[in-house]
Amino acid sequence: MGLLMVISPSIFFQITESWKSDNANEPSKLFKISTRVGGCFFIIIGIACLIFL
């Protein structure tokens, strides 16, 4: 999930947010940035869980 968020926030937008609005064709710049940051956190937490558990 984290890799998808970092690599392609547009696909993540299509899967999670596009169905909520009829006018939403593509994500905003803020959505792309926040999705990439969130994806980085998911990756870091996943690696930490693998190491410490």
XYZ file of all heavy atoms in Angstrom:
413
model
N 0.828 -1.181 0.000
C 0.000 0.000 0.000
C 0.876 1.249 0.000
O 0.612 2.189 -0.733
C -0.917 -0.006 1.227
C -1.828 1.178 1.301
S -3.069 1.227 0.053
C -4.363 0.374 0.863
N 1.903 1.242 0.828
C 2.793 2.395 0.896
C 3.508 2.646 -0.417
O 3.669 3.786 -0.840
N 3.941 1.573 -1.074
C 4.618 1.724 -2.366
C 3.686 2.317 -3.415
O 4.089 3.169 -4.202
C 5.163 0.384 -2.849
C 6.418 -0.109 -2.155
C 6.782 -1.505 -2.638
C 7.565 0.839 -2.362
N 2.454 1.878 -3.438
C 1.484 2.431 -4.388
C 1.270 3.914 -4.127
O 1.205 4.706 -5.063
C 0.148 1.686 -4.288
C -0.981 2.219 -5.169
C -0.649 2.028 -6.639
C -2.284 1.541 -4.823
N 1.200 4.291 -2.862
C 0.988 5.687 -2.515
C 2.176 6.559 -2.923
O 1.996 7.689 -3.358
C 0.740 5.816 -1.007
C -0.575 5.221 -0.565
S -0.747 5.124 1.223
C -0.983 6.844 1.626
N 3.390 6.025 -2.805
C 4.582 6.798 -3.156
C 4.792 6.841 -4.665
O 5.064 7.894 -5.237
C 5.824 6.213 -2.452
C 7.102 6.851 -2.971
C 5.724 6.405 -0.956
N 4.655 5.696 -5.314
C 4.963 5.600 -6.744
C 3.895 6.260 -7.604
O 4.208 6.994 -8.537
C 5.157 4.130 -7.150
C 6.403 3.572 -6.475
C 5.269 3.985 -8.655
C 6.576 2.078 -6.630
N 2.635 5.983 -7.308
C 1.576 6.498 -8.166
C 0.369 6.974 -7.356
O -0.618 6.240 -7.195
C 1.137 5.413 -9.145
O 0.172 5.911 -10.016
N 0.426 8.204 -6.861
C -0.719 8.712 -6.102
C -1.966 8.884 -6.964
O -3.076 8.884 -6.444
C -0.236 10.049 -5.549
C 0.983 10.393 -6.295
C 1.536 9.135 -6.864
N -1.805 8.985 -8.288
C -2.975 9.116 -9.165
C -3.814 7.839 -9.170
O -5.042 7.897 -9.147
C -2.533 9.450 -10.584
O -1.887 10.685 -10.613
N -3.161 6.691 -9.188
C -3.890 5.419 -9.129
C -4.553 5.268 -7.767
O -5.701 4.828 -7.663
C -2.954 4.234 -9.433
C -2.498 4.302 -10.891
C -3.637 2.906 -9.145
C -1.479 3.253 -11.267
N -3.842 5.638 -6.714
C -4.417 5.595 -5.368
C -5.652 6.490 -5.290
O -6.653 6.121 -4.689
C -3.363 6.026 -4.337
C -3.812 5.895 -2.932
C -3.883 4.654 -2.317
C -4.170 7.006 -2.193
C -4.301 4.521 -1.013
C -4.600 6.895 -0.888
C -4.660 5.650 -0.300
N -5.595 7.662 -5.938
C -6.740 8.567 -5.989
C -7.918 7.908 -6.704
O -9.055 8.002 -6.242
C -6.349 9.866 -6.708
C -7.493 10.810 -6.927
C -7.923 11.633 -5.910
C -8.137 10.875 -8.139
C -8.981 12.510 -6.104
C -9.191 11.744 -8.345
C -9.608 12.565 -7.322
N -7.672 7.268 -7.830
C -8.745 6.620 -8.586
C -9.422 5.526 -7.758
O -10.635 5.356 -7.812
C -8.203 6.032 -9.895
C -7.764 7.075 -10.897
C -8.893 7.980 -11.340
O -10.034 7.563 -11.484
N -8.563 9.243 -11.551
N -8.633 4.798 -6.993
C -9.179 3.700 -6.195
C -9.962 4.214 -4.995
O -11.044 3.709 -4.685
C -8.043 2.765 -5.722
C -7.409 2.073 -6.927
C -8.551 1.741 -4.719
C -6.139 1.335 -6.606
N -9.438 5.235 -4.317
C -10.015 5.622 -3.031
C -10.919 6.846 -3.051
O -11.821 6.956 -2.216
C -8.900 5.888 -1.997
O -8.073 6.951 -2.482
C -8.068 4.647 -1.776
N -10.698 7.801 -3.946
C -11.392 9.075 -3.844
C -12.262 9.443 -5.040
O -13.172 10.249 -4.905
C -10.380 10.213 -3.635
C -9.520 10.062 -2.402
C -10.301 10.197 -1.116
O -11.279 10.969 -1.085
O -9.932 9.519 -0.147
N -11.998 8.914 -6.206
C -12.689 9.383 -7.410
C -14.192 9.093 -7.386
O -14.976 9.834 -7.976
C -12.057 8.776 -8.655
O -12.245 7.383 -8.669
N -14.612 8.066 -6.709
C -16.030 7.715 -6.678
C -16.843 8.672 -5.807
O -18.068 8.697 -5.888
C -16.201 6.280 -6.170
C -15.704 6.071 -4.778
C -14.440 5.766 -4.389
C -16.473 6.168 -3.577
N -14.362 5.663 -3.031
C -15.597 5.898 -2.504
C -17.804 6.450 -3.299
C -16.016 5.908 -1.183
C -18.226 6.454 -1.979
C -17.333 6.185 -0.933
N -16.169 9.497 -5.000
C -16.866 10.392 -4.091
C -17.393 11.653 -4.766
O -18.237 12.340 -4.206
C -15.945 10.794 -2.942
C -15.580 9.627 -2.051
C -14.654 10.075 -0.953
C -14.215 8.899 -0.103
N -13.253 9.317 0.925
N -16.883 11.968 -5.965
C -17.272 13.205 -6.625
C -17.416 12.981 -8.126
O -16.625 12.263 -8.731
C -16.221 14.279 -6.370
O -16.516 15.436 -7.108
N -18.410 13.615 -8.720
C -18.588 13.511 -10.171
C -17.591 14.383 -10.927
O -17.262 14.106 -12.070
C -20.007 13.933 -10.555
C -21.042 12.959 -10.038
O -20.706 11.773 -9.863
O -22.188 13.390 -9.810
N -17.103 15.437 -10.299
C -16.216 16.384 -10.968
C -14.737 16.086 -10.785
O -13.904 16.756 -11.374
C -16.497 17.801 -10.465
C -17.906 18.223 -10.777
O -18.484 17.784 -11.756
N -18.467 19.068 -9.930
N -14.398 15.127 -9.970
C -12.992 14.845 -9.675
C -12.402 13.931 -10.740
O -12.643 12.733 -10.749
C -12.875 14.209 -8.305
N -11.623 14.517 -11.631
C -10.974 13.730 -12.681
C -9.543 13.385 -12.333
O -9.042 12.347 -12.741
C -10.999 14.496 -14.007
C -12.408 14.683 -14.508
O -13.270 13.870 -14.234
N -12.628 15.750 -15.238
N -8.870 14.261 -11.618
C -7.498 14.005 -11.222
C -7.236 14.639 -9.864
O -7.905 15.583 -9.461
C -6.518 14.541 -12.257
C -6.555 16.038 -12.451
C -5.571 16.482 -13.514
O -5.506 15.843 -14.562
O -4.870 17.466 -13.252
N -6.249 14.120 -9.135
C -5.974 14.645 -7.795
C -5.263 15.994 -7.847
O -4.575 16.327 -8.811
C -5.060 13.581 -7.195
C -4.416 12.922 -8.355
C -5.425 12.964 -9.457
N -5.419 16.749 -6.788
C -4.739 18.041 -6.679
C -3.275 17.821 -6.296
O -2.870 16.724 -5.898
C -5.420 18.899 -5.619
O -5.255 18.313 -4.344
N -2.491 18.873 -6.390
C -1.078 18.786 -6.006
C -0.939 18.483 -4.519
O -0.081 17.708 -4.120
C -0.351 20.083 -6.340
C -0.145 20.297 -7.809
C 0.614 21.582 -8.078
C 0.753 21.805 -9.575
N 1.508 23.048 -9.859
N -1.803 19.077 -3.709
C -1.769 18.823 -2.271
C -2.083 17.361 -1.968
O -1.437 16.748 -1.107
C -2.748 19.739 -1.543
C -2.836 19.553 -0.030
C -1.487 19.858 0.622
C -3.910 20.449 0.546
N -3.044 16.781 -2.679
C -3.369 15.374 -2.473
C -2.175 14.496 -2.835
O -1.851 13.558 -2.115
C -4.586 14.964 -3.314
C -4.972 13.527 -3.124
C -5.785 13.152 -2.080
C -4.512 12.538 -3.994
C -6.139 11.820 -1.901
C -4.855 11.218 -3.818
C -5.673 10.861 -2.762
N -1.506 14.808 -3.934
C -0.343 14.014 -4.348
C 0.779 14.082 -3.318
O 1.372 13.059 -2.969
C 0.169 14.490 -5.707
C -0.739 14.137 -6.851
C -0.159 14.640 -8.157
C -1.070 14.335 -9.328
N -0.519 14.827 -10.594
N 1.042 15.287 -2.811
C 2.110 15.449 -1.823
C 1.765 14.721 -0.529
O 2.590 13.974 0.017
C 2.377 16.945 -1.564
C 2.991 17.588 -2.804
C 3.283 17.138 -0.356
C 3.052 19.095 -2.748
N 0.554 14.912 -0.031
C 0.172 14.276 1.230
C 0.094 12.759 1.096
O 0.426 12.036 2.040
C -1.149 14.848 1.739
O -2.207 14.553 0.853
N -0.298 12.264 -0.062
C -0.341 10.823 -0.281
C 1.066 10.237 -0.300
O 1.316 9.175 0.271
C -1.071 10.501 -1.595
O -2.394 11.029 -1.521
C -1.151 9.010 -1.829
N 2.002 10.931 -0.942
C 3.389 10.447 -0.968
C 4.008 10.454 0.430
O 4.716 9.521 0.805
C 4.209 11.279 -1.935
C 3.900 10.923 -3.358
C 4.874 11.534 -4.326
N 4.618 10.973 -5.653
C 4.556 11.689 -6.751
N 4.774 12.986 -6.717
N 4.307 11.108 -7.907
N 3.736 11.495 1.209
C 4.250 11.554 2.586
C 3.645 10.422 3.416
O 4.349 9.731 4.153
C 3.959 12.940 3.218
C 4.259 12.939 4.709
C 4.764 14.014 2.505
N 2.353 10.217 3.291
C 1.708 9.118 4.008
C 2.244 7.764 3.584
O 2.426 6.868 4.406
N 2.528 7.598 2.296
C 3.109 6.354 1.807
C 4.484 6.100 2.393
O 4.818 4.966 2.748
N 5.269 7.157 2.524
C 6.594 7.020 3.157
C 6.458 6.559 4.600
O 7.210 5.694 5.065
C 7.357 8.331 3.078
S 7.912 8.768 1.429
N 5.495 7.130 5.319
C 5.274 6.701 6.700
C 4.846 5.237 6.764
O 5.303 4.485 7.627
C 4.232 7.584 7.389
C 4.749 8.920 7.820
C 4.099 10.073 7.442
C 5.882 9.033 8.598
C 4.563 11.316 7.822
C 6.363 10.267 9.002
C 5.709 11.413 8.608
N 3.975 4.804 5.864
C 3.568 3.397 5.831
C 4.756 2.484 5.587
O 4.893 1.431 6.216
C 2.524 3.150 4.737
C 1.113 3.408 5.172
C 0.300 4.238 4.427
C 0.581 2.824 6.296
C -1.000 4.489 4.795
C -0.723 3.055 6.685
C -1.518 3.896 5.939
N 5.626 2.859 4.673
C 6.807 2.044 4.374
C 7.728 1.977 5.584
O 8.206 0.898 5.958
C 7.539 2.605 3.136
C 6.690 2.393 1.883
C 8.901 1.941 2.969
C 7.205 3.118 0.660
N 7.982 3.117 6.225
C 8.863 3.149 7.389
C 8.295 2.318 8.533
O 9.008 1.542 9.174
C 9.108 4.605 7.834
C 9.961 5.325 6.781
C 9.771 4.664 9.204
C 10.027 6.828 6.958
N 7.013 2.452 8.794
C 6.383 1.683 9.873
C 6.401 0.192 9.550
O 6.640 -0.645 10.424
C 4.953 2.190 10.134
C 5.016 3.577 10.759
C 4.174 1.238 11.031
C 3.684 4.288 10.838
N 6.162 -0.162 8.288
C 6.211 -1.573 7.897
C 7.588 -2.181 8.085
O 7.725 -3.292 8.585
N 8.629 -1.447 7.696
C 9.994 -1.945 7.879
C 10.325 -2.054 9.356
O 10.932 -3.039 9.790
C 10.996 -1.022 7.150
C 10.808 -1.170 5.633
C 12.423 -1.342 7.541
C 11.578 -0.154 4.804
N 9.919 -1.064 10.153
C 10.172 -1.108 11.595
C 9.485 -2.311 12.243
O 10.056 -2.970 13.106
C 9.708 0.187 12.247
N 8.280 -2.617 11.811
C 7.561 -3.780 12.364
C 8.276 -5.079 12.001
O 8.338 -6.000 12.830
C 6.135 -3.809 11.866
S 5.081 -2.566 12.635
N 8.793 -5.158 10.792
C 9.532 -6.365 10.401
C 10.810 -6.534 11.202
O 11.184 -7.649 11.569
C 9.859 -6.313 8.900
C 8.699 -6.495 7.946
C 9.165 -6.275 6.508
C 8.111 -7.888 8.097
N 11.475 -5.436 11.506
C 12.739 -5.514 12.240
C 12.515 -5.811 13.724
O 13.185 -6.667 14.292
C 13.520 -4.195 12.079
C 13.994 -4.063 10.622
C 14.704 -4.143 13.031
C 14.618 -2.726 10.295
N 11.577 -5.121 14.344
C 11.417 -5.215 15.789
C 10.451 -6.309 16.247
O 10.379 -6.595 17.434
C 10.984 -3.866 16.365
C 12.036 -2.812 16.198
C 11.809 -1.709 15.404
C 13.264 -2.946 16.817
C 12.783 -0.738 15.239
C 14.240 -1.978 16.665
C 14.008 -0.870 15.866
N 9.698 -6.885 15.340
C 8.781 -7.959 15.771
C 9.276 -9.227 15.237
O 9.579 -10.134 15.194
C 7.377 -7.707 15.260
C 6.690 -6.482 15.825
C 5.295 -6.337 15.207
C 6.535 -6.567 17.320
